[in-house]
Amino acid sequence: MNDFDAIVIGAGNAGLSAATTLQRAGARTLLVERHNVPGGCATSFRRGRYEFEVALHQLSGVGLEGQAFSLRGLFDSLGVGDELEFVQEHDLYRFKVPGQVDVTLPADRVAAIETLEEAFPGNRSRVEKFLDLVSNVTILQIAAMRGTSPEQIDPVLFRYALRPSKDVLDEHFDDPGLKAALGVYWTYLGQPPSKLAFQDLALTLFAYLEFKPWHIRGGSQAMSTAILDSFLAAGGQVRFNTAVSAILTEGGRVLGVRLDDGAEVIAPDVVSNASLPITYGMLESMDVPAAVRDDLATRRIGVSGFALHMGLDATPAELGFTTSTTFVNLDTDDDRIHASWHSLEPARGICVSSYDVAPIGFAPAGATHVSLMTLQYAHAWDGVPPSDYHRAKFAYAQTLLDVVEHVAPGIREAIEEVDVATPRTMARYLGHPGGAIYGYDQDRTEGWLFRDSERRPHVPGLHLAGSWAGMGGFQPTLEAGARVARRLMRRKESVR
């Protein structure tokens, strides 16, 4: 007899949503997590008077009450819809290039168009045309992903979806500042516009414009904890401080897992929220299928990140923060910014999250929690010896502070608590190769048109969920875990 109907490896976003979906659907599920808390990137930690949000900058897809196709429906299906308090950001972001651009984009199409026309006069019709294209490509892409036949898809999708975002921006605009302001979400995807498929930039911009950017009261840890509680309330079992050392197989299909204490747990289905190299590397008693080896050989480990978390003894207004999210770039050369991620040269662009413009409850009265982040590849740190690591990471953190000074002059004087994370930190806590936060490099070859890791893991009984099998980010991984679990349950029902 099986110990469980399913085992889920990893309690990150996709692991939590997969485990909870399975358990609430009646499948006896074990969730195994190597750390002592749920969440993966969706967590927080304390320093002095402050709680620090680890990774959530803006949650997309939440939408307004009653809005169709939003994350609220997923949260309801997970049993946590009434447990979470969402905090809306009314601006998408402030974008600043010192001496060139300083524009705050409202999270509303009409207001955004008005703002951009004021900042870049004479471009109203171009912005309207561009945002129409963003909407059309996104809606058509979703229709295609849901199985609509090519004959029924407007050809505009085929003309624009896989074009580099830079080409599409160049087609619509001449002003480099306007192009940079509309394309800055590329840093959420880890690829510069010259490499990023337009369908990915369009989907991201559409999601935030139509469904607004949000935070969660209590941070992403509140979300992770609520989902775990729902899983446990439905009868699920969890093992923290426990790693899976092997995925057991027999006759070419999954049999269960072996835990790091040597215990073997039997189940016909295993859902992995771990990276693909680690997942397939844990297979025991069978070779990795040739199709998987060939696929993984063509993929590149994606970008990690460098984060500076600060507890500041001043209010957002006193510091100069007017929006929850601010992007500060030293120039409009996105390829130059991307190239800098491969080295320890001073940061050229950062994302600033001020969690108390719309408070989520992490800082005491009169203070604020601010996070500065730049993406960075792990190999940038390969030449730093252990004896020099701490000096190097705090020296690099100073370069992020130099950049943020352009919107918050004097911020250093307000620092009360600080914590610094490098790609090595990401690798240690996430267990991901290269500390990658989005899985593989999200270039055009990584899209759903060319990769099908989630639907075809090639090993019967093994199911893949999360950023390594699809798109990275909070909304995509939450949705992926639930989607994989629902597909698994349909298969179980079909063989009964």
Side-chain angles (χ1 to χ4, degrees), residues 137-382:
V137 166
T138 298
I139 292 169
L140 291 169
Q141 178 186 184
I142 293 171
M145 293 172 71
R146 292 181 173 178
T148 303
S149 66
E151 295 79 12
Q152 296 176 290
I153 297 291
D154 190 309
V156 71
L157 178 67
F158 307 117
R159 290 200 303 269
Y160 283 97
L162 295 181
R163 288 182 63 187
S165 296
K166 182 180 185 301
D167 288 2
V168 181
L169 288 163
D170 287 345
E171 177 185 307
H172 285 77
F173 308 107
D174 299 318
D175 192 306
L178 178 53
K179 287 185 281 190
L182 279 168
V184 71
Y185 271 142
W186 71 267
T187 55
Y188 278 6
L189 301 165
Q191 292 289 292
S194 61
K195 296 182 179 180
L196 179 67
F198 178 66
Q199 65 181 11
D200 294 340
L201 177 64
L203 179 63
T204 304
L205 187 54
F206 178 88
Y208 283 115
L209 264 178
E210 296 299 320
F211 292 89
K212 316 306 177 189
W214 300 79
H215 277 286
I216 299 170
R217 182 81 61 188
S220 61
Q221 184 69 75
M223 177 188 71
S224 301
T225 300
I227 299 174
L228 176 68
D229 288 346
S230 179
F231 169 72
L232 296 173
Q237 295 185 40
V238 63
R239 289 279 302 271
F240 286 115
N241 298 305
T242 302
V244 171
S245 60
I247 298 174
L248 308 176
T249 66
E250 185 175 71
R253 69 157 291 121
V254 162
L255 177 67
V257 302
R258 180 180 301 114
L259 306 179
D260 56 3
D261 62 2
E264 295 185 353
V265 187
I266 306 303
D269 290 286
V270 171
V271 178
S272 179
N273 190 196
S275 71
L276 299 194
I278 290 176
T279 297
Y280 285 113
M282 290 192 294
L283 288 174
E284 188 175 274
S285 302
M286 72 174 293
D287 294 329
V288 176
V292 173
R293 294 199 305 272
D294 293 344
D295 176 62
L296 298 189
T298 66
R299 307 175 86 164
R300 297 181 300 278
I301 300 298
V303 71
S304 184
F306 185 102
L308 172 58
H309 304 288
M310 297 181 291
L312 302 166
D313 190 18
T315 66
E318 290 169 339
L319 293 164
F321 294 113
T322 57
T323 60
S324 297
T325 300
T326 304
F327 294 98
V328 188
N329 291 349
L330 296 186
D331 54 43
T332 59
D333 187 345
D334 295 330
D335 286 324
R336 179 72 180 85
I337 292 172
H338 180 260
S340 72
W341 298 349
H342 292 276
S343 72
L344 292 184
E345 68 168 283
R348 302 187 61 82
I350 62 173
C351 173
V352 185
S353 296
S354 179
Y355 294 98
D356 294 282
V357 171
I360 65 170
F362 274 5
T368 188
H369 161 35
V370 170
S371 171
L372 314 181
M373 186 171 187
T374 186
L375 298 183
Q376 190 179 54
Y377 286 90
H379 65 76
W381 291 83
D382 287 349

Side-chain angles (χ1 to χ4, degrees), residues 27-103:
R28 295 175 299 115
T29 304
L30 173 67
L31 175 61
V32 184
E33 169 55 47
R34 58 196 288 267
H35 288 303
N36 62 347
V37 293
C41 284
T43 188
S44 62
F45 62 95
R46 291 199 66 84
R47 289 290 184 272
R49 301 191 297 157
Y50 302 86
E51 187 92 5
F52 286 166
E53 169 64 49
V54 167
L56 180 56
H57 301 292
Q58 294 177 305
L59 182 58
S60 62
V62 173
L64 303 174
E65 288 283 357
Q67 190 170 5
F69 308 113
S70 76
L71 271 183
R72 292 178 188 266
L74 173 60
F75 287 134
D76 287 341
S77 73
L78 296 174
V80 300
D82 294 332
E83 304 300 319
L84 302 178
E85 182 181 350
F86 299 106
V87 179
Q88 184 178 356
E89 294 184 35
H90 294 283
D91 295 313
L92 295 183
Y93 48 77
R94 178 185 178 188
F95 174 66
K96 182 165 185 176
V97 178
Q100 298 183 52
V101 183
D102 191 351
V103 60

Side-chain angles (χ1 to χ4, degrees), residues 382-403:
D382 287 349
V384 178
S387 60
D388 199 36
Y389 175 67
H390 284 85
R391 185 208 63 78
K393 78 173 185 177
F394 283 106
Y396 190 78
Q398 292 290 344
T399 74
L400 275 69
L401 287 169
D402 291 339
V403 177

